[in-house]
Amino acid sequence: EPEVTQTPSHQVTQMGQEVILRCVPISNHLYFYWYRQILGQKVEFLVSFYNNEISEKSEIFDDQFSVERPDGSNFTLKIRSTKLEDSAMYFCASSQGTGANVLTFGAGSRLTVL
Amino acid sequence: QKEVEQDPGPLSVPEGAIVSLNCTYSNSAFQYFMWYRQYSRKGPELLMYTYSSGNKEDGRFTAQVDKSSKYISLFIRDSQPSDSATYLCAMISGGSYIPTFGRGTSLIVHP
């Protein structure tokens, strides 16, 4: 069964450093997403990406964040100047964008900012 | 008022019990309703989705939507220890394609 793969599974970084989280969406999906889940809290939408540009973003997705699809397969989330409160699980997801728009999630990348 | 409300639990039941998980919502524009299951330190995986009011059954799982009350439920029959996970409801409005998630209900099924 096709799956969304994410790397790294866990990243530890110092406050102020830049982090890049990587995702390989399902190959025939057109929409890509990043969600965040702080420990014990809900899954929060960050950004969606379609046709090589951001299609929607939440209030959380400020100038500290950026996304990119550098080649035909990878989808990345860059977090600049990380803060303690950026510590969370970051989930990548992809979908075909039709009907109920069912998202397929990756296993997540755990970011720990010290 | 939050758009999607879901009791975080935990809900602890014995094996074989019927489990009822619920969400309420405030946005009448929500049209698609989904249930995701999330095991510890894993990504959410889709269990079921429904479009209209009524029931949808898939094996031991039944999803129920009552749009008039803005209330959705997931029933699990003959619950198993392997059902122990967090169950998240998610909804999409007609004018969007971005799911809004509830905070999830932690379910523990003990042998």
Side-chain angles (χ1 to χ4, degrees), chain B residues 37-97:
Chain B
R37 178 175 61 196
Q38 185 179 23
Y39 290 112
S40 180
R41 299 185 179 256
K42 299 290 186 184
E45 58 175 334
L46 181 74
L47 275 178
M48 299 180 71
Y49 74 88
T50 56
Y51 173 67
S52 58
S53 284
N55 293 354
K56 182 177 181 179
E57 193 172 313
D58 184 2
R60 297 186 295 112
F61 298 89
T62 299
Q64 189 175 79
V65 174
D66 182 349
K67 285 188 176 180
S68 62
S69 301
K70 297 190 179 68
Y71 187 90
I72 70 170
S73 300
L74 178 71
F75 298 96
I76 307 174
R77 290 182 297 281
D78 187 26
S79 55
Q80 303 294 310
S82 58
D83 294 329
S84 298
T86 296
Y87 290 80
L88 305 105
C89 61
M91 307 177 187
I92 299 178
S93 68
S96 174
Y97 57 92

Side-chain angles (χ1 to χ4, degrees), chain A residues 31 33 35 37 40-43 45 48-50 55-56 89 91 99-108 110, chain B residues 2-4 32 34 36 38 41-46 49-50 86 88 92 95-104:
Chain A
Y31 290 81
Y33 311 82
Y35 278 79
Q37 187 176 33
Q41 298 187 25
K42 64 183 285 186
V43 175
F45 169 70
S48 64
F49 194 86
Y50 171 73
S55 47
E56 274 195 55
M89 196 75 158
F91 292 107
N101 196 39
V102 172
L103 271 62
T104 302
F105 284 83
R110 178 166 298 281
Chain B
K2 294 179 184 175
E3 273 198 302
V4 181
Y32 292 98
M34 301 149 195
Y36 282 81
Q38 185 179 23
R41 299 185 179 256
K42 299 290 186 184
E45 58 175 334
L46 181 74
Y49 74 88
T50 56
T86 296
L88 305 105
I92 299 178
S96 174
Y97 57 92
I98 306 295
T100 298
F101 283 85
R103 64 172 297 180

